[in-house]
């Protein structure tokens, strides 16, 4: 994918659609059809609010399905995400991304191909991380080959030092992993996050990722993946090439609450001329 032309801006703001628990997950309603209807209705409503508020793209994630499968999710999860993504696609012409937690890039790519989405997020694309799901390993070799087989121009947005995880490598290796992710893993964009959902990225860590990109002579975009607020977005976009925003766009600043179009508009306005 071509990053800037996909989003229509050099510094996109991508808003999150955090799906409620899908049928088959522990926190879903007992009535599976009701659970699916609730997820689809929320996804469509959140997509409308994000579009109305002025974001440049939307990412869909099965956030309510905790505890997450570490890698391959069962077919009912793929079906649920696909149905919700179809509902989002019907509400907006914005670029759409798919993230299937915790790390099922094959499922995300398959959903993206089915609904015409533009990118996927892969939490661990190269290397390995210790997570609450155990050790999660990147499968860049499989992901990129599947994309070729499917014949789709879907961007791979890969995390570096992904939130809710810790490295297996020696201290100080995190920034170097940017080169592995972008140069050897062929990621189309790299996402730098804080330690958890809604947590701000460390300024020094973000600067180190960008510096590593420059040292290797790469032009892979770097996005901030968590903790972006109206107060910080302009400064972050002075360093990064875009941001994925969820919690700050929800009613009351609660991650699982519906998207608030007014909060979206406030964030977009705060980004101002930086974009």
């Amino acid at each position: 994918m071509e990053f800037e032309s996909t989003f229509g801006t050099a510094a996109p703001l991508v808003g999150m659609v955090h799906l409620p628990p899908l049928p088959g997950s522990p926190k879903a309603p007992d009535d599976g059809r009701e659970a699916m209807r609730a997820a689809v209705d929320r996804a469509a409503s959140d997509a409308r609010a994000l579009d109305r508020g002025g974001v440049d793209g939307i990412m869909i994630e099965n956030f309510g399905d905790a505890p997450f499968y570490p890698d391959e999710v069962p077919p009912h999860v793929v079906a649920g995400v696909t149905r919700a993504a179809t509902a989002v696609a019907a509400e907006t012409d914005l670029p759409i991304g798919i993230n299937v937690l915790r790390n099922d890039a094959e499922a995300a790519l398959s959903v993206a191909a089915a609904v015409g989405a533009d990118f996927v997020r892969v939490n661990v694309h190269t290397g390995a991380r210790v997570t609450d799901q155990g050790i999660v390993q990147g499968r860049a070799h499989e992901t990129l080959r599947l994309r070729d087989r499917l014949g789709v121009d879907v961007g791979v947005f890969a995390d570096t030092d992904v939130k809710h995880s810790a490295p297996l490598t020696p201290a100080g290796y995190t920034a170097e992993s940017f080169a592995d992710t972008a140069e050897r893993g062929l990621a189309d964009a790299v996402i730098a996050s804080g330690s958890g959902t809604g947590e701000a990225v460390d300024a020094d860590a973000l600067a180190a990722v960008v510096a590593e990109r420059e040292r290797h002579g790469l032009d892979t975009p770097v996005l901030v993946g968590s903790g972006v607020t109206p107060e910080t977005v302009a400064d972050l976009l002075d360093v990064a090439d875009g941001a994925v925003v969820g919690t700050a766009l929800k009613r009351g600043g609660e991650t699982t609450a519906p998207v608030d179009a007014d909060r979206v508009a406030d964030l977009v306005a705060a980004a101002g001329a930086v974009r």
Side-chain angles (χ1 to χ4, degrees):
M1 67 172 292
E2 208 292 318
F3 185 78
E4 186 169 347
S5 64
T6 295
F7 293 104
T9 175
L13 296 173
V14 178
M16 288 298 308
V17 169
H18 291 116
L19 296 177
L22 296 172
S25 65
K27 294 187 289 184
D30 292 337
D31 185 329
R33 292 183 178 180
E34 177 57 33
M36 196 68 250
R37 278 194 296 270
V40 168
D41 289 348
R42 169 65 73 82
S45 175
D46 283 354
R48 290 193 296 270
L50 288 168
D51 195 329
R52 189 164 66 250
V55 296
D56 307 296
I58 293 174
M59 189 183 301
I60 304 156
E61 176 181 277
N62 58 323
F63 186 80
D65 281 352
F68 304 114
Y69 295 92
D71 37 55
E72 184 177 352
V73 301
H76 68 267
V77 175
V78 181
V81 175
T82 302
R83 185 172 175 191
T86 300
V88 169
E91 298 290 340
T92 180
D93 292 325
L94 290 172
I96 292 174
I98 308 293
N99 186 21
V100 178
L101 298 169
R102 172 70 154 129
N103 202 57
D104 196 337
E106 179 177 349
L109 267 173
S110 300
V111 175
V115 304
D118 302 274
F119 60 99
V120 298
R121 182 174 185 173
V122 184
N123 291 165
V124 183
H125 184 56
T126 58
R129 306 282 298 184
V130 179
T131 74
D132 51 310
Q133 295 81 33
I135 296 175
V136 174
Q137 299 187 57
R139 297 180 178 178
H141 60 294
E142 295 178 358
T143 301
L144 273 293
R145 285 169 174 81
L146 175 60
R147 182 172 67 176
D148 286 345
R149 292 198 303 275
L150 292 174
V152 290
D153 184 21
V154 173
V156 174
F157 290 14
D159 282 86
T160 180
D161 197 24
V162 68
K163 57 191 174 183
H164 301 290
S165 74
L168 290 173
T169 52
Y173 185 78
T174 299
E176 186 69 26
S177 71
F178 177 93
D180 289 343
T181 300
E183 197 167 33
R184 293 161 66 87
L186 305 182
D188 298 288
V190 170
I191 300 174
S193 299
S195 59
T197 301
E199 296 294 327
V201 63
D202 179 80
D204 290 339
L206 177 61
V209 170
V210 174
E212 191 63 21
R213 176 183 65 181
E214 302 305 318
R215 189 168 76 81
H216 283 265
L218 301 170
D219 58 5
T220 308
V222 174
L223 291 87
V224 178
S226 69
V228 179
T229 67
E231 293 73 29
T232 62
V233 64
D235 288 342
L236 289 169
L237 292 182
D238 272 336
V239 180
D241 304 296
V244 180
V245 193
T247 301
L249 307 182
K250 305 299 187 68
R251 294 178 191 170
E254 294 291 336
T255 305
T256 57
V259 171
D260 183 332
D262 290 336
R263 292 176 73 102
V264 179
D266 288 345
L267 184 94
V268 172
V274 178
R275 302 171 62 230

